[in-house]
Amino acid sequence: MATKANISIDQGTSFTTEVLLTDENGDPLDLSAYTANAQIRKTYTSLTSVPFNTSLSNGQVMLSLSANVTGNLEAGRYVYDVVVHDAANTITRVVEGIVTVNPQVTK
């Protein structure tokens, strides 16, 4: 079961957040043989999505979006999730939640 984590993104700004993945002992997972994908969608069934840039390091999944990308998101509520793929292409959803995009004033 994926961890639930809601995030807020300020429209028109660079966004970065980290997700720490740990084992049952609380130690960071070895992600050296993994890749990650993450997307934002308006609803779970939306056909269009906005992909996060992802990178993996020392048990952490880094998610980021450029200011240009966040500037093109309409303010409001979205959903997202993060999946990791191992060398055998086993896919595991590790985190999911709600994204709130806060509107910008200054452009």
Side-chain angles (χ1 to χ4, degrees), residues 12-31:
T13 65
S14 299
F15 173 80
T16 302
T17 192
E18 295 175 358
V19 177
L20 179 61
L21 303 178
T22 58
D23 63 17
E24 61 277 351
N25 298 320
D27 297 320
L29 287 178
D30 178 7
L31 298 173

PDB file of all heavy atoms in Angstrom, residues 12-31:
ATOM      1  N   GLY A  12       3.723  28.935 -11.057  1.00  0.00           N
ATOM      2  CA  GLY A  12       4.729  29.831 -11.614  1.00  0.00           C
ATOM      3  C   GLY A  12       6.064  29.822 -10.894  1.00  0.00           C
ATOM      4  O   GLY A  12       6.913  30.677 -11.153  1.00  0.00           O
ATOM      5  N   THR A  13       6.290  28.843 -10.004  1.00  0.00           N
ATOM      6  CA  THR A  13       7.565  28.748  -9.294  1.00  0.00           C
ATOM      7  C   THR A  13       8.194  27.382  -9.536  1.00  0.00           C
ATOM      8  O   THR A  13       7.512  26.423  -9.894  1.00  0.00           O
ATOM      9  CB  THR A  13       7.394  28.941  -7.769  1.00  0.00           C
ATOM     10  OG1 THR A  13       6.608  27.861  -7.242  1.00  0.00           O
ATOM     11  CG2 THR A  13       6.713  30.263  -7.450  1.00  0.00           C
ATOM     12  N   SER A  14       9.491  27.292  -9.310  1.00  0.00           N
ATOM     13  CA  SER A  14      10.178  26.004  -9.374  1.00  0.00           C
ATOM     14  C   SER A  14       9.742  25.181  -8.170  1.00  0.00           C
ATOM     15  O   SER A  14       9.655  25.702  -7.059  1.00  0.00           O
ATOM     16  CB  SER A  14      11.685  26.206  -9.349  1.00  0.00           C
ATOM     17  OG  SER A  14      12.089  26.974 -10.453  1.00  0.00           O
ATOM     18  N   PHE A  15       9.474  23.899  -8.393  1.00  0.00           N
ATOM     19  CA  PHE A  15       8.997  23.018  -7.324  1.00  0.00           C
ATOM     20  C   PHE A  15       9.909  21.819  -7.197  1.00  0.00           C
ATOM     21  O   PHE A  15      10.273  21.195  -8.196  1.00  0.00           O
ATOM     22  CB  PHE A  15       7.576  22.531  -7.622  1.00  0.00           C
ATOM     23  CG  PHE A  15       7.093  21.493  -6.659  1.00  0.00           C
ATOM     24  CD1 PHE A  15       6.623  21.865  -5.412  1.00  0.00           C
ATOM     25  CD2 PHE A  15       7.148  20.148  -6.981  1.00  0.00           C
ATOM     26  CE1 PHE A  15       6.202  20.901  -4.502  1.00  0.00           C
ATOM     27  CE2 PHE A  15       6.721  19.178  -6.090  1.00  0.00           C
ATOM     28  CZ  PHE A  15       6.253  19.557  -4.839  1.00  0.00           C
ATOM     29  N   THR A  16      10.276  21.493  -5.962  1.00  0.00           N
ATOM     30  CA  THR A  16      11.046  20.291  -5.669  1.00  0.00           C
ATOM     31  C   THR A  16      10.601  19.732  -4.332  1.00  0.00           C
ATOM     32  O   THR A  16      10.375  20.492  -3.381  1.00  0.00           O
ATOM     33  CB  THR A  16      12.556  20.596  -5.595  1.00  0.00           C
ATOM     34  OG1 THR A  16      12.976  21.172  -6.822  1.00  0.00           O
ATOM     35  CG2 THR A  16      13.362  19.338  -5.337  1.00  0.00           C
ATOM     36  N   THR A  17      10.461  18.419  -4.263  1.00  0.00           N
ATOM     37  CA  THR A  17      10.197  17.750  -2.996  1.00  0.00           C
ATOM     38  C   THR A  17      10.870  16.387  -3.019  1.00  0.00           C
ATOM     39  O   THR A  17      11.145  15.844  -4.092  1.00  0.00           O
ATOM     40  CB  THR A  17       8.689  17.620  -2.703  1.00  0.00           C
ATOM     41  OG1 THR A  17       8.489  17.228  -1.348  1.00  0.00           O
ATOM     42  CG2 THR A  17       8.017  16.634  -3.627  1.00  0.00           C
ATOM     43  N   GLU A  18      11.141  15.849  -1.841  1.00  0.00           N
ATOM     44  CA  GLU A  18      11.774  14.545  -1.737  1.00  0.00           C
ATOM     45  C   GLU A  18      10.852  13.586  -1.001  1.00  0.00           C
ATOM     46  O   GLU A  18      10.168  13.970  -0.051  1.00  0.00           O
ATOM     47  CB  GLU A  18      13.079  14.646  -0.948  1.00  0.00           C
ATOM     48  CG  GLU A  18      14.128  15.478  -1.619  1.00  0.00           C
ATOM     49  CD  GLU A  18      15.362  15.658  -0.754  1.00  0.00           C
ATOM     50  OE1 GLU A  18      15.389  15.176   0.386  1.00  0.00           O
ATOM     51  OE2 GLU A  18      16.293  16.306  -1.245  1.00  0.00           O
ATOM     52  N   VAL A  19      10.845  12.344  -1.449  1.00  0.00           N
ATOM     53  CA  VAL A  19      10.116  11.269  -0.789  1.00  0.00           C
ATOM     54  C   VAL A  19      11.161  10.278  -0.306  1.00  0.00           C
ATOM     55  O   VAL A  19      11.925   9.742  -1.120  1.00  0.00           O
ATOM     56  CB  VAL A  19       9.136  10.583  -1.768  1.00  0.00           C
ATOM     57  CG1 VAL A  19       8.438   9.422  -1.092  1.00  0.00           C
ATOM     58  CG2 VAL A  19       8.148  11.582  -2.339  1.00  0.00           C
ATOM     59  N   LEU A  20      11.236  10.051   1.004  1.00  0.00           N
ATOM     60  CA  LEU A  20      12.194   9.095   1.556  1.00  0.00           C
ATOM     61  C   LEU A  20      11.536   7.729   1.658  1.00  0.00           C
ATOM     62  O   LEU A  20      10.478   7.583   2.269  1.00  0.00           O
ATOM     63  CB  LEU A  20      12.665   9.553   2.939  1.00  0.00           C
ATOM     64  CG  LEU A  20      13.660   8.628   3.644  1.00  0.00           C
ATOM     65  CD1 LEU A  20      14.939   8.481   2.827  1.00  0.00           C
ATOM     66  CD2 LEU A  20      13.967   9.142   5.039  1.00  0.00           C
ATOM     67  N   LEU A  21      12.161   6.724   1.059  1.00  0.00           N
ATOM     68  CA  LEU A  21      11.666   5.351   1.097  1.00  0.00           C
ATOM     69  C   LEU A  21      12.543   4.536   2.029  1.00  0.00           C
ATOM     70  O   LEU A  21      13.771   4.507   1.873  1.00  0.00           O
ATOM     71  CB  LEU A  21      11.675   4.744  -0.302  1.00  0.00           C
ATOM     72  CG  LEU A  21      10.883   5.509  -1.369  1.00  0.00           C
ATOM     73  CD1 LEU A  21      11.017   4.815  -2.712  1.00  0.00           C
ATOM     74  CD2 LEU A  21       9.441   5.652  -0.965  1.00  0.00           C
ATOM     75  N   THR A  22      11.906   3.893   3.008  1.00  0.00           N
ATOM     76  CA  THR A  22      12.652   3.124   4.004  1.00  0.00           C
ATOM     77  C   THR A  22      12.132   1.691   4.083  1.00  0.00           C
ATOM     78  O   THR A  22      10.993   1.411   3.702  1.00  0.00           O
ATOM     79  CB  THR A  22      12.543   3.777   5.397  1.00  0.00           C
ATOM     80  OG1 THR A  22      11.165   3.876   5.750  1.00  0.00           O
ATOM     81  CG2 THR A  22      13.176   5.162   5.408  1.00  0.00           C
ATOM     82  N   ASP A  23      12.972   0.815   4.610  1.00  0.00           N
ATOM     83  CA  ASP A  23      12.561  -0.567   4.830  1.00  0.00           C
ATOM     84  C   ASP A  23      11.879  -0.690   6.193  1.00  0.00           C
ATOM     85  O   ASP A  23      11.661   0.315   6.882  1.00  0.00           O
ATOM     86  CB  ASP A  23      13.742  -1.526   4.688  1.00  0.00           C
ATOM     87  CG  ASP A  23      14.831  -1.299   5.721  1.00  0.00           C
ATOM     88  OD1 ASP A  23      14.590  -0.640   6.758  1.00  0.00           O
ATOM     89  OD2 ASP A  23      15.959  -1.796   5.491  1.00  0.00           O
ATOM     90  N   GLU A  24      11.560  -1.917   6.592  1.00  0.00           N
ATOM     91  CA  GLU A  24      10.842  -2.141   7.848  1.00  0.00           C
ATOM     92  C   GLU A  24      11.646  -1.726   9.077  1.00  0.00           C
ATOM     93  O   GLU A  24      11.091  -1.507  10.154  1.00  0.00           O
ATOM     94  CB  GLU A  24      10.398  -3.607   7.978  1.00  0.00           C
ATOM     95  CG  GLU A  24      11.529  -4.616   7.980  1.00  0.00           C
ATOM     96  CD  GLU A  24      12.020  -4.992   6.580  1.00  0.00           C
ATOM     97  OE1 GLU A  24      11.400  -4.611   5.575  1.00  0.00           O
ATOM     98  OE2 GLU A  24      13.050  -5.658   6.502  1.00  0.00           O
ATOM     99  N   ASN A  25      12.977  -1.564   8.934  1.00  0.00           N
ATOM    100  CA  ASN A  25      13.822  -1.119  10.043  1.00  0.00           C
ATOM    101  C   ASN A  25      14.029   0.391  10.053  1.00  0.00           C
ATOM    102  O   ASN A  25      14.743   0.914  10.902  1.00  0.00           O
ATOM    103  CB  ASN A  25      15.191  -1.815   9.990  1.00  0.00           C
ATOM    104  CG  ASN A  25      15.071  -3.305  10.134  1.00  0.00           C
ATOM    105  OD1 ASN A  25      14.283  -3.802  10.927  1.00  0.00           O
ATOM    106  ND2 ASN A  25      15.841  -4.037   9.341  1.00  0.00           N
ATOM    107  N   GLY A  26      13.454   1.069   9.066  1.00  0.00           N
ATOM    108  CA  GLY A  26      13.618   2.515   8.968  1.00  0.00           C
ATOM    109  C   GLY A  26      14.865   2.945   8.228  1.00  0.00           C
ATOM    110  O   GLY A  26      15.185   4.132   8.181  1.00  0.00           O
ATOM    111  N   ASP A  27      15.574   1.986   7.625  1.00  0.00           N
ATOM    112  CA  ASP A  27      16.778   2.301   6.856  1.00  0.00           C
ATOM    113  C   ASP A  27      16.399   2.678   5.430  1.00  0.00           C
ATOM    114  O   ASP A  27      15.458   2.116   4.868  1.00  0.00           O
ATOM    115  CB  ASP A  27      17.723   1.091   6.831  1.00  0.00           C
ATOM    116  CG  ASP A  27      18.216   0.718   8.216  1.00  0.00           C
ATOM    117  OD1 ASP A  27      18.517   1.632   9.009  1.00  0.00           O
ATOM    118  OD2 ASP A  27      18.288  -0.506   8.505  1.00  0.00           O
ATOM    119  N   PRO A  28      17.130   3.627   4.804  1.00  0.00           N
ATOM    120  CA  PRO A  28      16.833   3.992   3.414  1.00  0.00           C
ATOM    121  C   PRO A  28      16.935   2.782   2.491  1.00  0.00           C
ATOM    122  O   PRO A  28      17.842   1.957   2.624  1.00  0.00           O
ATOM    123  CB  PRO A  28      17.913   5.017   3.076  1.00  0.00           C
ATOM    124  CG  PRO A  28      18.363   5.553   4.383  1.00  0.00           C
ATOM    125  CD  PRO A  28      18.230   4.402   5.352  1.00  0.00           C
ATOM    126  N   LEU A  29      15.996   2.670   1.564  1.00  0.00           N
ATOM    127  CA  LEU A  29      16.020   1.577   0.590  1.00  0.00           C
ATOM    128  C   LEU A  29      17.144   1.788  -0.420  1.00  0.00           C
ATOM    129  O   LEU A  29      17.439   2.921  -0.808  1.00  0.00           O
ATOM    130  CB  LEU A  29      14.697   1.503  -0.163  1.00  0.00           C
ATOM    131  CG  LEU A  29      13.486   0.977   0.577  1.00  0.00           C
ATOM    132  CD1 LEU A  29      12.262   1.030  -0.321  1.00  0.00           C
ATOM    133  CD2 LEU A  29      13.722  -0.445   1.054  1.00  0.00           C
ATOM    134  N   ASP A  30      17.740   0.703  -0.856  1.00  0.00           N
ATOM    135  CA  ASP A  30      18.731   0.752  -1.920  1.00  0.00           C
ATOM    136  C   ASP A  30      17.975   0.837  -3.240  1.00  0.00           C
ATOM    137  O   ASP A  30      17.350  -0.136  -3.672  1.00  0.00           O
ATOM    138  CB  ASP A  30      19.619  -0.481  -1.887  1.00  0.00           C
ATOM    139  CG  ASP A  30      20.635  -0.503  -3.006  1.00  0.00           C
ATOM    140  OD1 ASP A  30      20.753   0.504  -3.749  1.00  0.00           O
ATOM    141  OD2 ASP A  30      21.319  -1.526  -3.153  1.00  0.00           O
ATOM    142  N   LEU A  31      18.012   1.986  -3.866  1.00  0.00           N
ATOM    143  CA  LEU A  31      17.255   2.212  -5.100  1.00  0.00           C
ATOM    144  C   LEU A  31      18.144   2.194  -6.340  1.00  0.00           C
ATOM    145  O   LEU A  31      17.728   2.639  -7.406  1.00  0.00           O
ATOM    146  CB  LEU A  31      16.523   3.558  -5.015  1.00  0.00           C
ATOM    147  CG  LEU A  31      15.490   3.670  -3.901  1.00  0.00           C
ATOM    148  CD1 LEU A  31      14.960   5.096  -3.812  1.00  0.00           C
ATOM    149  CD2 LEU A  31      14.360   2.685  -4.105  1.00  0.00           C
TER     150      LEU A  31
END
